[in-house]
Amino acid sequence: GETPTLIVGHAVVTAMDAAVRFRLGRAISLLRDRAVALEKLAVTEVRLLIAAAVYLADQRVTFDFSNEQLQTASRNLQRHLSRKARRALTLSVARLMHETVEVESWINGVIDSANRAGVFVGGDVLAALDELIEPLRVPSVRARKSTDEIVGVLRQNGPAARLVRFSVSRNYL
């Protein structure tokens, strides 16, 4: 397959504040894991992709998707896979059939790992939260919010809340 690539311009390197370092660390983590699409796709779309991959390897397995959905998704997936990748997929599916896969937990784990990598590279949890929580990106908005309002915003943003918990845990400190 193709090697993921991240191109960073001179302007980014010279203006490397904590927020940019966070985004860069996060992007590198997602590229390394070849998981950039996970932050754009809905959980249902990821489930369908996994079901299509399993369907390619073993059409006897049943899923919560219609046969038409599975056939269409598996055809689309098959067009993008090399023969070597399809053989590897068959072996992976055989192993996967013996495990329970919690897709949403897996996606959260990948995104959380990327966020942690971003904090490690950025070195600033607040800058990371500013990037993860849209309303907090503008300093004047953040300054007007009370602590209770910020906690309320965190409760609505799972990745940000998990990052705060991680950043004050023994794992990070």
Side-chain angles (χ1 to χ4, degrees):
E2 295 180 19
T3 302
T5 305
L6 178 65
I7 299 172
V8 180
H10 184 273
V12 171
V13 174
T14 56
M16 206 49 111
D17 64 0
V20 172
R21 289 191 309 270
F22 170 78
R23 288 193 308 267
L24 186 61
R26 194 172 188 283
I28 290 169
S29 176
L30 289 170
L31 283 171
R32 180 202 62 215
D33 293 340
R34 296 176 185 250
V36 175
L38 288 181
E39 64 179 347
K40 302 293 182 207
L41 295 174
V43 173
T44 305
E45 293 173 297
V46 176
R47 282 190 180 120
L48 180 57
L49 277 174
I50 292 170
V54 171
Y55 185 82
L56 278 175
D58 186 352
Q59 296 179 359
R60 297 171 295 173
V61 179
T62 59
F63 295 95
D64 294 335
F65 298 101
S66 69
N67 277 339
E68 183 181 330
Q69 286 176 300
L70 280 173
Q71 289 170 355
T72 301
S74 63
R75 272 194 307 272
N76 289 337
L77 182 60
Q78 191 168 17
R79 277 188 269 158
H80 297 285
L81 295 176
S82 66
R83 287 183 188 174
K84 183 179 178 181
R86 281 194 298 266
R87 280 193 301 273
L89 179 63
T90 302
L91 296 173
S92 295
V93 166
R95 190 177 62 224
L96 185 66
M97 297 304 291
H98 301 290
E99 298 178 22
T100 302
V101 178
E102 295 292 332
V103 175
E104 192 166 359
S105 295
W106 173 69
I107 292 169
N108 286 340
V110 172
I111 299 299
D112 289 350
S113 293
N115 290 339
R116 291 172 183 184
V119 168
F120 290 139
V121 172
D124 187 338
V125 176
L126 184 57
L129 292 176
D130 282 348
E131 290 300 310
L132 292 175
I133 302 173
E134 189 70 36
L136 297 183
R137 286 188 184 171
V138 180
S140 61
V141 171
R142 185 182 343 118
R144 288 192 309 250
K145 288 199 176 288
S146 70
T147 303
D148 289 340
E149 289 173 311
I150 292 174
V151 168
V153 170
L154 279 174
R155 284 192 178 121
Q156 296 171 8
N157 186 311
R162 290 188 299 272
L163 186 61
V164 168
R165 276 196 293 287
F166 171 75
S167 68
V168 295
S169 72
R170 292 183 189 273
N171 294 332
Y172 181 67
L173 300 174

